[in-house]
Amino acid sequence: MKKHIIVIGGGFAGINFIKTIARSNEFIITLVDRNNYHFFPPLIYQVATAFIEPSHISYPFRKLFSAYDNVHYHMGSFLKIDTELQIIETDTGTIGYDHAILALGTETNFFGLENVEQCALPMKTIHQALYIKNHLLLNLEKASRNEDENKAERLQNIVIAGGGPTGVELAGMIAEMGAYVAEKEYPEIELNLSHLYLIDALPSLLAPMSDAAKKTAYDNLKRLGVNILLNVSVKDYVEGNVILSDGRKIKTETLIWTSGVIGREIAGIPDTSIGKGRRLLVDEYNRVSGFKNVWALGDICLQLTDKNFPKGHPQLAQVAIQQAKLAAKNIRKLHNQQPLQPFVYNDKGSMAIISKYKAVVDLPKFSYTGFFAWLTWLFIHIIPLTGFRNRVRLAMEWFRLFITNNPSIRMILQPKKNEQKDKN
């Protein structure tokens, strides 16, 4: 009988695992995800800043796997895994498995700051990115008709917590959006009241990257007018004020949180199999500690067996992709009673875009910045997109936008069932 594999989560790890193992007819694969599409997280900040459409970076699961007769999709939110009965529970049904692949990724970590969790804007999903886009545009409209200088400044100030690649890329995009768009389209706004803050508790931006990358990011964001505050963290958010660890306050209606992530909670997995950051402890083959047929891939797993990464791998797309492909091969080996191959991460480097024509690229043996780094960033982020049509559409859209500096999708869309009943 064919073995049934359940893949929970359709991110980089989930879809690359399925693509690799679906070629083998010994297995039936069911993908479980609460959304019916895969999306490309590295470009989600461009959706949040009205630069590109969500459809440019997303692709439906059913269309993606339509060529495979042994791949099925189950739309539902994961609730629990029962490792004794070998079933997983979702809010839309229960499914049995021979192997379970946990690839749920991470969620935003607010570090126990309750007010921040309630009021800050995370940016991990398409829904959250669209919410940020609407929020930014609505605040501009409010500020354009607000005659109270104090309220206008609170509406126009933006605080980004987190100086990693996401925070840096978002800050650069918002700064350029203000320079190219706000000045032309919002003549009622006093731009001298607008301030963009990028805050990080560490002594530099892009902490894991090279010194050249850190300096380039800092200098270019300063040139764009970003207020960079280092060695300080957000401690609270009270009555429209961001409270910093050094006691300073910044009045704002917009606190965007890119400061950290934590593994998603997996009900049914014992505490002994959970490590730092709520990541699942796995062996050298990515099997969850204590289990032979439950595997964890990508950001949610913590593997301490790779001698080059004794504290665990970075939570990057390349790690997830490489783990997924090897796990698929190892399950086939297991099925054919062959020895398994341990995972060793091949570090291909990291990169971040800062602004138009400015980026930083760290490769294993050298680093470079500037225009060619920017072209590299564009190329590397086009290739992994799912679907040829998406690649072509995004390349053409980027070409147009970088020439005109004028994204044209700044519509505030808030779908409602009974629009005719809303008051104008």
Side-chain angles (χ1 to χ4, degrees):
M1 292 181 64
K2 293 184 178 181
K3 297 291 185 181
H4 187 205
I5 302 174
I6 292 184
V7 180
I8 307 166
F12 286 122
I15 66 167
N16 278 280
F17 174 87
I18 294 173
K19 284 180 177 179
T20 306
I21 205 165
R23 301 165 190 156
S24 174
N25 288 322
E26 301 117 313
F27 305 99
I28 297 173
I29 304 105
T30 299
L31 170 63
V32 176
D33 199 293
R34 60 188 174 187
N35 299 311
N36 75 329
Y37 56 86
H38 166 76
F39 73 97
F40 190 67
L43 294 179
I44 199 170
Y45 75 96
Q46 294 194 8
V47 175
T49 50
F51 200 70
I52 61 174
E53 295 275 11
S55 59
H56 287 138
I57 62 168
S58 54
Y59 204 82
F61 290 129
R62 290 190 180 276
K63 185 174 182 180
L64 179 62
F65 297 118
S66 60
Y68 301 102
D69 294 334
N70 59 336
V71 178
H72 308 283
Y73 168 65
H74 178 98
M75 187 173 185
S77 294
F78 171 80
L79 299 177
K80 182 182 178 181
I81 182 170
D82 189 321
T83 55
E84 291 187 5
L85 297 177
Q86 293 192 181
I87 60 173
I88 67 138
E89 297 178 17
T90 75
D91 61 351
T92 53
T94 301
I95 312 171
Y97 67 84
D98 293 297
H99 290 276
I101 310 298
L102 304 176
L104 289 85
T106 58
E107 60 189 19
T108 304
N109 188 359
F110 294 99
F111 304 101
L113 302 174
E114 294 184 6
N115 289 334
V116 171
E117 184 172 357
Q118 294 217 354
C119 302
L121 306 176
M123 194 178 62
K124 288 283 291 177
T125 68
I126 293 286
H127 298 288
Q128 291 170 346
L130 291 174
Y131 186 91
I132 290 175
K133 183 186 84 166
N134 281 342
H135 178 87
L136 293 173
L137 295 173
L138 282 168
N139 277 4
L140 284 172
E141 295 298 335
K142 291 176 184 176
S144 69
R145 60 179 187 267
N146 202 312
E147 298 180 359
D148 186 310
E149 186 172 294
N150 185 58
K151 291 181 180 178
E153 185 175 2
R154 179 172 276 110
L155 287 166
Q156 293 169 222
N157 283 346
I158 297 172
V159 176
I160 301 171
T166 302
V168 166
E169 291 174 343
L170 182 62
M173 184 65 76
I174 291 177
E176 290 195 320
M177 182 179 170
Y180 292 125
V181 176
E183 188 173 351
K184 296 177 182 178
E185 298 189 7
Y186 296 87
E188 309 92 339
I189 290 179
E190 294 184 39
L191 292 178
N192 63 311
L193 298 177
S194 303
H195 301 93
L196 174 58
Y197 297 88
L198 180 59
I199 298 170
D200 198 277
L202 297 175
S204 69
L205 301 175
L206 301 177
M209 298 186 72
S210 66
D211 290 339
K214 295 173 186 176
K215 185 178 187 305
T216 300
Y218 185 90
D219 292 345
N220 278 279
L221 290 180
K222 291 292 285 186
R223 178 180 56 81
L224 288 170
V226 180
N227 298 286
I228 302 172
L229 306 180
L230 300 174
N231 293 305
V232 64
S233 60
V234 173
K235 286 299 180 186
D236 209 344
Y237 186 64
V238 181
E239 296 178 349
N241 292 287
V242 172
I243 314 297
L244 303 182
S245 56
D246 60 5
R248 279 182 288 179
K249 296 182 179 180
I250 303 173
K251 51 187 176 183
T252 181
E253 294 293 325
T254 306
L255 170 59
I256 302 176
W257 194 262
T258 67
S259 194
V261 295
I262 190 170
R264 293 188 181 276
E265 189 171 355
I266 308 295
I269 297 294
D271 292 342
T272 53
S273 300
I274 300 173
K276 185 179 179 181
R278 211 159 67 191
R279 297 166 74 180
L280 301 180
L281 295 169
V282 298
D283 64 12
E284 65 269 38
Y285 312 115
N286 280 94
R287 294 182 298 195
V288 176
S289 177
F291 302 97
K292 295 298 182 183
N293 65 341
V294 179
W295 311 62
L297 306 173
D299 291 353
I300 201 171
C301 79
L302 181 61
Q303 190 177 68
L304 306 177
T305 57
D306 189 338
K307 64 180 182 180
N308 295 320
F309 298 89
K311 295 183 179 180
H313 299 108
Q315 291 167 297
L316 300 174
Q318 268 303 315
V319 176
I321 293 169
Q322 292 178 32
Q323 285 180 339
K325 291 180 178 180
L326 183 60
K329 293 175 183 177
N330 275 334
I331 287 182
R332 286 208 301 258
K333 288 175 181 288
L334 197 64
H335 184 71
N336 295 318
Q337 298 181 340
Q338 298 173 345
L340 307 187
Q341 179 183 341
F343 177 75
V344 178
Y345 176 47
N346 178 19
D347 188 359
K348 298 183 178 180
S350 56
M351 61 184 67
I353 194 169
I354 303 165
S355 60
K356 185 178 180 181
Y357 307 138
K358 300 290 183 181
V360 293
V361 175
D362 282 350
L363 297 178
K365 294 185 178 180
F366 65 95
S367 304
Y368 58 103
T369 64
F371 180 72
F372 287 106
W374 180 77
L375 288 178
T376 303
W377 186 96
L378 294 181
F379 178 77
I380 292 297
H381 283 75
I382 283 283
I383 295 303
L385 284 178
T386 303
F388 176 77
R389 182 169 172 266
N390 277 4
R391 296 187 198 109
V392 172
R393 287 176 61 205
L394 184 58
M396 294 179 64
E397 185 69 1
W398 272 350
F399 180 73
R400 182 187 72 81
L401 292 171
F402 286 126
I403 290 177
T404 64
N405 297 317
N406 187 24
S408 57
I409 57 172
R410 294 184 301 280
M411 289 83 71
I412 301 170
L413 302 176
Q414 298 173 301
K416 296 177 182 178
K417 181 180 178 182
N418 297 315
E419 188 174 3
Q420 69 275 11
K421 295 182 180 180
D422 292 344
K423 294 180 180 179
N424 293 324

